Amino acid sequence: MEIITRENFPEKWAQTQNNLAIAYKNRIRGDRADNLKRAIAGYRAALTLRTPTTTPLDCLQTGRNLGNLGFQEGSQQMGDKTGWELALEGYQVAMEAVEQSRAWATSEQRRQEVVRESIGVYENLIQAAINLGNLPLALQTVERSRSKRLADLLAVGDLYADGQIPPDIRQWYQQLQASRQTQAQLHQEHPDLPEDNPAREAYATRSPRASIATQQLQAAEAAERQAWEALYNFDHITAQLQKPQPLPDLAHLTALLPNPHTALLSIYTTTTHTHVLVLRQPTPSPGDLGQWVTCHTCASDSKNDTEDDNTKKDNTKNDLQSWLLDHWVNPYITINQGETKEERQQRRDQWHQAMAPRLQELAQRLQLNTLIHQHLQGITDLILIPHLFLHQIPFDLIPIATPSSSSSPLPQGEGPGVRAYLGDRFRIHYAPSSQILGLCQSRSQQEPSTLGIVENTTSDLLYTPLECEWVAQTWNVQPQHRLQGAAATPHSYRELLTQVQALLSSHHATSRADDPLASHLLLANGQKVTLRDLLSPLWRFPQLLEVFLSCCETGLSFAAYRDKTGDLNREQLDEPLSLGTGFLIAGARSVISSHWAVSDLTTTLFSRQYHQARHGGSDRLTALHQARHALRTTPQQEWLDRLTADQKLAYQTLQQLLNTKDPNTSAAQARYQQIGEIRTWLRENFQPADIPFQNYRDWGAFYCLGLP
């Protein structure tokens, strides 16, 4: 080291220090403790020059090496620190280097790759922090690792909050639209290839069948992705994104809790553990905020689990995400791969039938009863931030143990007896990340006074017009705020969002596992509003308070991405890219979304109950619970009584229109007949005391994303 000195060749000197440290770490000869001491000294020396802001890639390499060394030793004392403390030292520097490298990346794809390649840094830092009892740092790191792509898009949108969109951005969006028009034209020219329309029956769904695209269609979709990538090449956007995302402040996280009865549950799965970090509001005085963070760690899935949690290494494997992929995600994806309508319906029925035992097993894997007993006493509301495939899970429907005493009777579940779900014990709303929840909270809060409706855009859903008419009557929706059938285009949809504070969007929608950003709302003539649209700077609606997506799969996000070769890969980054999240980014404070493909009939009834409760003054969570309760407890006779009154009113309206020769007579006639068909279906299939919609397939799909 006499020639390669720190002063003369600083970069080579730092590289040599790193390499010497590696050699000492792996050295077999000599005293092991002395070798590790020299390795630590070498890594630390290299990090004096390899810093996050000067050479982030080199800093990442050395910081990760130091962290891995400490993580491997665990609770063993290593000079002035334990292995876990040394792991924190190395991984924290490495994490800052990842953030800086990501900020300097010149494309969206590279920004994703930087974090994807280094996700182990975040994972091991979180585990080391938990093992040390530094739960605030663990929670902050978990939330820093989430939704980075969405945070970027928030930053881009903030550039144009005043509506002044630069010409290059508008031209970029025109390229997107041109690609979209090509796709729509291909669908029209090849009627054997587009999505099949669902059958007009009581349990028809609001999701078209996915089909195999032609090479031309694939090329058009690839062009759309390339146009999206070009967004990150604009200088004014690149400048905005070249700022590393900071570690969330614990005080800001605590501020997300509106009262002492609300807890935030941040879930994170590593290769060895599943952690639920619980944040509660300090009371009666704040004191040390850190003491209000607790951790529920689920036992490893390994049957040979004999080590103490503080000393476990990577020899026990946590297969939760793989289990979710095999037993929840992939079986759902295969539904639409059926060749015939009957086969697809059979697969859908099988998926729903398997839901109850799978949710029961998930409750056991997450040890929810222990979580409730040890961490959630005195809590009534939960803010739930899932991880990866857990974003697809309807936590409201997970069964829990019945409490021995309760201030209120347990609601009826499906089948005989009484069954309690997590959603019966707690009011639950979900968030993609704490950062996005904070954004929703920072926006102005008020009750909506104007509601817009987008309805039956493909004119093939039998009961959707009835739903929308009921809601329009309840909210006194003006004709200019209703987009019906062919009137629903991407342009008119966007214009409507600038005019109203709340939206009911009731039509077909689908989530794309192969390209999440291509998930879309299906409008007239094959046109679409995609997730890419909702995330773009041109779709920003600061006055939009809430959205009810009365469609299929709008809250469904798939943890997958395409690599440079176009192959589909399982995603390691927590980016819940769903249509519901897109509306949060676009400006909404809250979105009611669906976990799966929903029934036209039951969604019509559910939406009516929800909007009546919402218009009557209930907050979103309360309205959601009231709609669920109505469907899961109302007997056939009561439904018939309500619908009889509805049909009488519809008949009176029809007669008035006929007498005045109003042009809307046909629509009124259809509503009258539709109500009659529902009554007939109920009479033919159920007895007066039966509860037609008690299965949670009928009432459990919708959930609240964002603010309650």
Side-chain angles (χ1 to χ4, degrees), residues 88 92 95-96 99 122 125-126 129-130 133-148 245-254 264 266 268 277-279 288-290 293-294 385 433-435:
L88 285 191
Q92 284 182 290
M95 180 175 63
E96 297 303 327
E99 297 291 337
Y122 294 87
L125 197 162
I126 292 163
I130 290 174
N134 192 343
L135 300 183
L137 177 60
L139 176 61
Q140 291 169 294
T141 306
V142 166
E143 291 307 310
R144 190 181 197 181
S145 71
R146 296 188 193 277
S147 303
K148 290 183 172 296
Q245 296 174 11
L247 196 69
D249 184 75
L250 188 59
H252 291 163
L253 292 175
T254 306
L264 183 147
S266 178
Y268 192 84
L277 290 156
V278 182
L279 177 65
D288 177 15
L289 294 179
V293 183
T294 59
I385 307 180
S433 70
S434 61
Q435 183 175 4

Short mmCIF file of all heavy atoms in Angstrom, two decimals, residues 88 92 95-96 99 122 125-126 129-130 133-148 245-254 264 266 268 277-279 288-290 293-294 385 433-435:
data_model
loop_
_atom_site.label_atom_id
_atom_site.label_comp_id
_atom_site.label_asym_id
_atom_site.label_seq_id
_atom_site.Cartn_x
_atom_site.Cartn_y
_atom_site.Cartn_z
N LEU A 88 -26.64 -3.16 10.68
CA LEU A 88 -27.31 -1.86 10.51
C LEU A 88 -26.34 -0.83 9.95
O LEU A 88 -26.70 -0.05 9.05
CB LEU A 88 -27.87 -1.37 11.85
CG LEU A 88 -29.14 -2.03 12.39
CD1 LEU A 88 -29.67 -1.22 13.57
CD2 LEU A 88 -30.20 -2.15 11.32
N GLN A 92 -27.41 0.50 6.26
CA GLN A 92 -27.93 1.86 6.18
C GLN A 92 -27.16 2.69 5.17
O GLN A 92 -27.75 3.46 4.41
CB GLN A 92 -27.89 2.52 7.57
CG GLN A 92 -29.00 2.02 8.49
CD GLN A 92 -28.98 2.72 9.84
OE1 GLN A 92 -28.09 2.52 10.65
NE2 GLN A 92 -29.98 3.55 10.09
N MET A 95 -28.22 1.37 1.76
CA MET A 95 -29.55 1.83 1.39
C MET A 95 -29.50 3.25 0.82
O MET A 95 -30.17 3.56 -0.18
CB MET A 95 -30.50 1.77 2.59
CG MET A 95 -31.91 2.23 2.28
SD MET A 95 -33.05 2.02 3.68
CE MET A 95 -32.31 3.12 4.91
N GLU A 96 -28.72 4.12 1.46
CA GLU A 96 -28.59 5.48 0.94
C GLU A 96 -27.96 5.47 -0.45
O GLU A 96 -28.33 6.28 -1.32
CB GLU A 96 -27.76 6.34 1.89
CG GLU A 96 -28.38 6.53 3.27
CD GLU A 96 -29.76 7.14 3.21
OE1 GLU A 96 -30.02 7.97 2.29
OE2 GLU A 96 -30.61 6.80 4.06
N GLU A 99 -30.67 4.51 -2.94
CA GLU A 99 -31.56 5.65 -3.20
C GLU A 99 -30.91 6.66 -4.13
O GLU A 99 -31.56 7.20 -5.03
CB GLU A 99 -31.95 6.31 -1.88
CG GLU A 99 -32.75 5.43 -0.93
CD GLU A 99 -34.14 5.14 -1.44
OE1 GLU A 99 -34.66 5.93 -2.27
OE2 GLU A 99 -34.73 4.12 -1.03
N TYR A 122 -32.65 -3.81 1.87
CA TYR A 122 -33.79 -3.36 2.68
C TYR A 122 -34.27 -4.51 3.58
O TYR A 122 -34.54 -4.30 4.76
CB TYR A 122 -34.93 -2.89 1.78
CG TYR A 122 -34.62 -1.66 0.97
CD1 TYR A 122 -33.99 -1.76 -0.27
CD2 TYR A 122 -34.95 -0.40 1.44
CE1 TYR A 122 -33.71 -0.63 -1.01
CE2 TYR A 122 -34.68 0.74 0.69
CZ TYR A 122 -34.05 0.62 -0.53
OH TYR A 122 -33.76 1.74 -1.27
N LEU A 125 -31.82 -5.20 6.41
CA LEU A 125 -31.80 -4.07 7.35
C LEU A 125 -33.02 -4.15 8.27
O LEU A 125 -32.91 -3.95 9.49
CB LEU A 125 -31.77 -2.75 6.58
CG LEU A 125 -31.36 -1.48 7.33
CD1 LEU A 125 -30.97 -0.38 6.34
CD2 LEU A 125 -32.45 -0.95 8.24
N ILE A 126 -34.17 -4.45 7.67
CA ILE A 126 -35.40 -4.55 8.46
C ILE A 126 -35.28 -5.67 9.48
O ILE A 126 -35.62 -5.50 10.66
CB ILE A 126 -36.60 -4.78 7.52
CG1 ILE A 126 -36.86 -3.52 6.68
CG2 ILE A 126 -37.85 -5.17 8.32
CD1 ILE A 126 -37.73 -3.77 5.47
N ALA A 129 -32.86 -4.69 12.27
CA ALA A 129 -33.46 -3.70 13.17
C ALA A 129 -34.45 -4.36 14.12
O ALA A 129 -34.49 -4.03 15.31
CB ALA A 129 -34.14 -2.60 12.35
N ILE A 130 -35.25 -5.28 13.61
CA ILE A 130 -36.21 -5.98 14.46
C ILE A 130 -35.48 -6.83 15.50
O ILE A 130 -35.86 -6.85 16.68
CB ILE A 130 -37.14 -6.85 13.60
CG1 ILE A 130 -38.08 -5.95 12.80
CG2 ILE A 130 -37.95 -7.82 14.47
CD1 ILE A 130 -38.96 -6.69 11.81
N GLY A 133 -34.47 -4.82 18.26
CA GLY A 133 -35.53 -4.12 18.97
C GLY A 133 -35.70 -2.69 18.52
O GLY A 133 -36.44 -1.92 19.15
N ASN A 134 -35.06 -2.31 17.42
CA ASN A 134 -35.20 -0.95 16.88
C ASN A 134 -36.39 -0.94 15.92
O ASN A 134 -36.23 -0.83 14.69
CB ASN A 134 -33.92 -0.52 16.17
CG ASN A 134 -33.89 0.97 15.86
OD1 ASN A 134 -34.93 1.64 15.89
ND2 ASN A 134 -32.71 1.48 15.55
N LEU A 135 -37.58 -1.05 16.47
CA LEU A 135 -38.78 -1.18 15.66
C LEU A 135 -39.13 0.08 14.87
O LEU A 135 -39.63 -0.02 13.74
CB LEU A 135 -39.95 -1.60 16.54
CG LEU A 135 -39.75 -2.95 17.27
CD1 LEU A 135 -40.99 -3.31 18.07
CD2 LEU A 135 -39.41 -4.06 16.29
N PRO A 136 -38.88 1.28 15.41
CA PRO A 136 -39.13 2.47 14.59
C PRO A 136 -38.32 2.46 13.30
O PRO A 136 -38.84 2.77 12.22
CB PRO A 136 -38.72 3.63 15.51
CG PRO A 136 -38.94 3.10 16.88
CD PRO A 136 -38.55 1.66 16.80
N LEU A 137 -37.03 2.10 13.38
CA LEU A 137 -36.21 2.03 12.18
C LEU A 137 -36.74 0.96 11.22
O LEU A 137 -36.75 1.17 10.00
CB LEU A 137 -34.76 1.75 12.53
CG LEU A 137 -33.80 1.58 11.33
CD1 LEU A 137 -33.76 2.85 10.49
CD2 LEU A 137 -32.40 1.20 11.81
N ALA A 138 -37.17 -0.17 11.76
CA ALA A 138 -37.74 -1.21 10.91
C ALA A 138 -38.97 -0.70 10.16
O ALA A 138 -39.10 -0.91 8.95
CB ALA A 138 -38.09 -2.44 11.75
N LEU A 139 -39.88 -0.03 10.87
CA LEU A 139 -41.08 0.51 10.24
C LEU A 139 -40.72 1.56 9.19
O LEU A 139 -41.27 1.56 8.08
CB LEU A 139 -42.00 1.11 11.30
CG LEU A 139 -43.26 1.81 10.79
CD1 LEU A 139 -44.15 0.83 10.04
CD2 LEU A 139 -44.03 2.44 11.95
N GLN A 140 -39.81 2.45 9.52
CA GLN A 140 -39.41 3.49 8.57
C GLN A 140 -38.80 2.89 7.31
O GLN A 140 -39.06 3.35 6.20
CB GLN A 140 -38.41 4.44 9.24
CG GLN A 140 -39.03 5.32 10.33
CD GLN A 140 -37.96 6.03 11.14
OE1 GLN A 140 -37.16 5.41 11.84
NE2 GLN A 140 -37.93 7.35 11.02
N THR A 141 -37.99 1.85 7.47
CA THR A 141 -37.36 1.22 6.32
C THR A 141 -38.37 0.48 5.46
O THR A 141 -38.31 0.52 4.23
CB THR A 141 -36.25 0.26 6.77
OG1 THR A 141 -35.33 0.97 7.62
CG2 THR A 141 -35.48 -0.29 5.59
N VAL A 142 -39.30 -0.21 6.10
CA VAL A 142 -40.36 -0.89 5.35
C VAL A 142 -41.10 0.11 4.48
O VAL A 142 -41.32 -0.11 3.28
CB VAL A 142 -41.33 -1.60 6.31
CG1 VAL A 142 -42.60 -2.01 5.57
CG2 VAL A 142 -40.68 -2.83 6.92
N GLU A 143 -41.51 1.22 5.08
CA GLU A 143 -42.28 2.20 4.32
C GLU A 143 -41.44 2.91 3.27
O GLU A 143 -41.96 3.33 2.24
CB GLU A 143 -42.93 3.21 5.27
CG GLU A 143 -44.03 2.59 6.13
CD GLU A 143 -45.08 1.86 5.28
OE1 GLU A 143 -45.59 2.46 4.30
OE2 GLU A 143 -45.36 0.70 5.56
N ARG A 144 -40.15 3.05 3.51
CA ARG A 144 -39.29 3.63 2.48
C ARG A 144 -39.16 2.72 1.28
O ARG A 144 -38.98 3.17 0.14
CB ARG A 144 -37.90 3.93 3.06
CG ARG A 144 -37.03 4.77 2.14
CD ARG A 144 -35.66 5.01 2.72
NE ARG A 144 -34.97 6.10 2.06
CZ ARG A 144 -33.75 6.51 2.36
NH1 ARG A 144 -33.07 5.91 3.34
NH2 ARG A 144 -33.19 7.51 1.71
N SER A 145 -39.23 1.43 1.51
CA SER A 145 -39.05 0.46 0.43
C SER A 145 -40.29 0.33 -0.45
O SER A 145 -40.21 -0.25 -1.54
CB SER A 145 -38.70 -0.92 1.01
OG SER A 145 -39.81 -1.51 1.66
N ARG A 146 -41.41 0.85 -0.02
CA ARG A 146 -42.67 0.64 -0.73
C ARG A 146 -42.91 1.68 -1.82
O ARG A 146 -42.50 2.84 -1.69
CB ARG A 146 -43.86 0.72 0.23
CG ARG A 146 -43.93 -0.35 1.29
CD ARG A 146 -45.26 -0.22 2.00
NE ARG A 146 -45.33 -0.97 3.24
CZ ARG A 146 -45.63 -2.25 3.32
NH1 ARG A 146 -45.86 -2.94 2.23
NH2 ARG A 146 -45.69 -2.85 4.50
N SER A 147 -43.64 1.27 -2.85
CA SER A 147 -44.30 2.16 -3.82
C SER A 147 -43.41 3.28 -4.33
O SER A 147 -43.84 4.42 -4.48
CB SER A 147 -45.57 2.77 -3.17
OG SER A 147 -46.44 1.76 -2.74
N LYS A 148 -42.16 2.97 -4.62
CA LYS A 148 -41.25 3.99 -5.11
C LYS A 148 -41.68 4.52 -6.48
O LYS A 148 -41.56 5.70 -6.78
CB LYS A 148 -39.83 3.45 -5.17
CG LYS A 148 -39.21 3.21 -3.80
CD LYS A 148 -37.78 2.75 -3.90
CE LYS A 148 -37.15 2.73 -2.52
NZ LYS A 148 -37.07 4.07 -1.92
N GLN A 245 -35.46 9.58 -2.26
CA GLN A 245 -36.60 9.58 -1.35
C GLN A 245 -36.10 9.38 0.08
O GLN A 245 -35.39 8.42 0.37
CB GLN A 245 -37.57 8.47 -1.74
CG GLN A 245 -38.19 8.66 -3.11
CD GLN A 245 -39.04 7.49 -3.55
OE1 GLN A 245 -39.34 6.60 -2.77
NE2 GLN A 245 -39.42 7.47 -4.82
N PRO A 246 -36.45 10.27 0.99
CA PRO A 246 -35.90 10.20 2.36
C PRO A 246 -36.56 9.12 3.20
O PRO A 246 -37.62 8.58 2.85
CB PRO A 246 -36.22 11.59 2.91
CG PRO A 246 -37.47 11.99 2.19
CD PRO A 246 -37.36 11.41 0.81
N LEU A 247 -35.94 8.83 4.32
CA LEU A 247 -36.52 7.91 5.29
C LEU A 247 -37.74 8.58 5.92
O LEU A 247 -37.65 9.73 6.36
CB LEU A 247 -35.49 7.57 6.37
CG LEU A 247 -35.76 6.35 7.25
CD1 LEU A 247 -35.64 5.07 6.43
CD2 LEU A 247 -34.79 6.32 8.42
N PRO A 248 -38.90 7.93 5.95
CA PRO A 248 -40.09 8.56 6.53
C PRO A 248 -39.87 8.94 7.99
O PRO A 248 -39.24 8.20 8.75
CB PRO A 248 -41.17 7.47 6.40
CG PRO A 248 -40.67 6.56 5.33
CD PRO A 248 -39.18 6.58 5.44
N ASP A 249 -40.38 10.10 8.35
CA ASP A 249 -40.25 10.57 9.72
C ASP A 249 -41.29 9.87 10.59
O ASP A 249 -42.46 9.75 10.21
CB ASP A 249 -40.45 12.09 9.77
CG ASP A 249 -40.24 12.64 11.17
OD1 ASP A 249 -39.09 12.74 11.60
OD2 ASP A 249 -41.26 12.95 11.82
N LEU A 250 -40.89 9.40 11.77
CA LEU A 250 -41.80 8.66 12.64
C LEU A 250 -42.97 9.53 13.09
O LEU A 250 -44.10 9.05 13.21
CB LEU A 250 -41.05 8.12 13.86
CG LEU A 250 -41.83 7.16 14.75
CD1 LEU A 250 -42.29 5.94 13.97
CD2 LEU A 250 -40.98 6.73 15.95
N ALA A 251 -42.72 10.81 13.30
CA ALA A 251 -43.80 11.71 13.69
C ALA A 251 -44.84 11.83 12.58
O ALA A 251 -46.05 11.91 12.84
CB ALA A 251 -43.24 13.08 14.04
N HIS A 252 -44.37 11.84 11.32
CA HIS A 252 -45.30 11.92 10.19
C HIS A 252 -46.12 10.63 10.07
O HIS A 252 -47.30 10.67 9.73
CB HIS A 252 -44.53 12.17 8.90
CG HIS A 252 -43.91 13.54 8.83
ND1 HIS A 252 -42.90 13.87 7.95
CD2 HIS A 252 -44.16 14.66 9.54
CE1 HIS A 252 -42.56 15.13 8.12
NE2 HIS A 252 -43.31 15.63 9.09
N LEU A 253 -45.49 9.50 10.35
CA LEU A 253 -46.23 8.24 10.33
C LEU A 253 -47.29 8.22 11.42
O LEU A 253 -48.43 7.79 11.19
CB LEU A 253 -45.27 7.07 10.51
CG LEU A 253 -44.28 6.80 9.36
CD1 LEU A 253 -43.32 5.67 9.74
CD2 LEU A 253 -45.02 6.46 8.08
N THR A 254 -46.94 8.70 12.61
CA THR A 254 -47.89 8.73 13.71
C THR A 254 -49.05 9.66 13.41
O THR A 254 -50.19 9.41 13.83
CB THR A 254 -47.18 9.17 15.01
OG1 THR A 254 -46.05 8.32 15.24
CG2 THR A 254 -48.11 9.08 16.19
N LEU A 264 -52.04 1.38 12.69
CA LEU A 264 -51.51 1.13 11.36
C LEU A 264 -50.75 -0.18 11.37
O LEU A 264 -49.87 -0.38 12.22
CB LEU A 264 -50.60 2.29 10.92
CG LEU A 264 -50.01 2.23 9.51
CD1 LEU A 264 -49.86 3.63 8.94
CD2 LEU A 264 -48.67 1.51 9.46
N SER A 266 -48.33 -2.39 9.17
CA SER A 266 -47.45 -2.44 8.01
C SER A 266 -46.85 -3.84 7.93
O SER A 266 -46.06 -4.24 8.79
CB SER A 266 -46.34 -1.39 8.15
OG SER A 266 -45.44 -1.44 7.06
N TYR A 268 -44.68 -6.93 6.22
CA TYR A 268 -43.51 -7.12 5.37
C TYR A 268 -43.05 -8.57 5.48
O TYR A 268 -42.89 -9.10 6.59
CB TYR A 268 -42.37 -6.19 5.80
CG TYR A 268 -41.23 -6.12 4.81
CD1 TYR A 268 -41.31 -5.26 3.72
CD2 TYR A 268 -40.10 -6.91 4.95
CE1 TYR A 268 -40.27 -5.18 2.80
CE2 TYR A 268 -39.06 -6.84 4.04
CZ TYR A 268 -39.15 -5.96 2.96
OH TYR A 268 -38.13 -5.89 2.05
N LEU A 277 -45.68 -4.87 11.59
CA LEU A 277 -45.28 -3.74 12.44
C LEU A 277 -46.52 -2.92 12.76
O LEU A 277 -47.24 -2.48 11.86
CB LEU A 277 -44.22 -2.91 11.74
CG LEU A 277 -42.87 -3.62 11.61
CD1 LEU A 277 -42.06 -3.07 10.45
CD2 LEU A 277 -42.08 -3.51 12.91
N VAL A 278 -46.78 -2.74 14.03
CA VAL A 278 -48.00 -2.09 14.50
C VAL A 278 -47.65 -0.73 15.09
O VAL A 278 -46.83 -0.63 16.01
CB VAL A 278 -48.71 -2.95 15.56
CG1 VAL A 278 -50.00 -2.29 16.01
CG2 VAL A 278 -48.99 -4.35 15.01
N LEU A 279 -48.27 0.31 14.56
CA LEU A 279 -48.07 1.67 15.07
C LEU A 279 -49.37 2.16 15.67
O LEU A 279 -50.42 2.15 15.02
CB LEU A 279 -47.63 2.61 13.94
CG LEU A 279 -47.47 4.09 14.31
CD1 LEU A 279 -46.33 4.27 15.32
CD2 LEU A 279 -47.21 4.94 13.06
N ASP A 288 -41.66 9.09 24.12
CA ASP A 288 -40.85 8.49 23.08
C ASP A 288 -41.76 7.79 22.08
O ASP A 288 -42.41 6.79 22.40
CB ASP A 288 -39.87 7.48 23.69
CG ASP A 288 -39.03 6.77 22.63
OD1 ASP A 288 -39.02 7.26 21.48
OD2 ASP A 288 -38.40 5.75 22.96
N LEU A 289 -41.83 8.31 20.83
CA LEU A 289 -42.72 7.73 19.83
C LEU A 289 -42.39 6.27 19.54
O LEU A 289 -43.25 5.49 19.18
CB LEU A 289 -42.65 8.56 18.53
CG LEU A 289 -43.18 9.99 18.60
CD1 LEU A 289 -43.02 10.67 17.25
CD2 LEU A 289 -44.64 10.00 19.01
N GLY A 290 -41.12 5.93 19.69
CA GLY A 290 -40.69 4.58 19.37
C GLY A 290 -41.38 3.51 20.19
O GLY A 290 -41.55 2.37 19.74
N VAL A 293 -44.44 1.63 18.68
CA VAL A 293 -44.28 0.68 17.58
C VAL A 293 -44.01 -0.70 18.17
O VAL A 293 -43.08 -0.87 18.96
CB VAL A 293 -43.12 1.08 16.64
CG1 VAL A 293 -43.04 0.10 15.47
CG2 VAL A 293 -43.28 2.51 16.14
N THR A 294 -44.83 -1.67 17.81
CA THR A 294 -44.61 -3.05 18.25
C THR A 294 -44.53 -3.94 17.02
O THR A 294 -44.86 -3.51 15.90
CB THR A 294 -45.73 -3.54 19.18
OG1 THR A 294 -46.99 -3.46 18.48
CG2 THR A 294 -45.79 -2.68 20.43
N ILE A 385 -51.51 -1.93 5.42
CA ILE A 385 -50.59 -1.79 4.29
C ILE A 385 -49.99 -3.17 4.03
O ILE A 385 -49.05 -3.58 4.72
CB ILE A 385 -49.49 -0.75 4.57
CG1 ILE A 385 -50.11 0.59 5.01
CG2 ILE A 385 -48.61 -0.55 3.34
CD1 ILE A 385 -49.09 1.66 5.32
N SER A 433 -49.17 2.51 0.51
CA SER A 433 -48.00 2.84 1.33
C SER A 433 -48.39 3.99 2.24
O SER A 433 -49.40 4.67 2.03
CB SER A 433 -46.81 3.24 0.46
OG SER A 433 -47.04 4.50 -0.15
N SER A 434 -47.58 4.22 3.25
CA SER A 434 -47.86 5.33 4.16
C SER A 434 -47.70 6.66 3.44
O SER A 434 -48.39 7.64 3.76
CB SER A 434 -46.92 5.27 5.37
OG SER A 434 -45.56 5.38 4.96
N GLN A 435 -46.80 6.73 2.47
CA GLN A 435 -46.59 7.98 1.75
C GLN A 435 -47.83 8.38 0.96
O GLN A 435 -48.24 9.55 0.98
CB GLN A 435 -45.39 7.86 0.81
CG GLN A 435 -45.07 9.16 0.07
CD GLN A 435 -43.81 9.05 -0.76
OE1 GLN A 435 -43.21 7.99 -0.85
NE2 GLN A 435 -43.41 10.15 -1.37
#
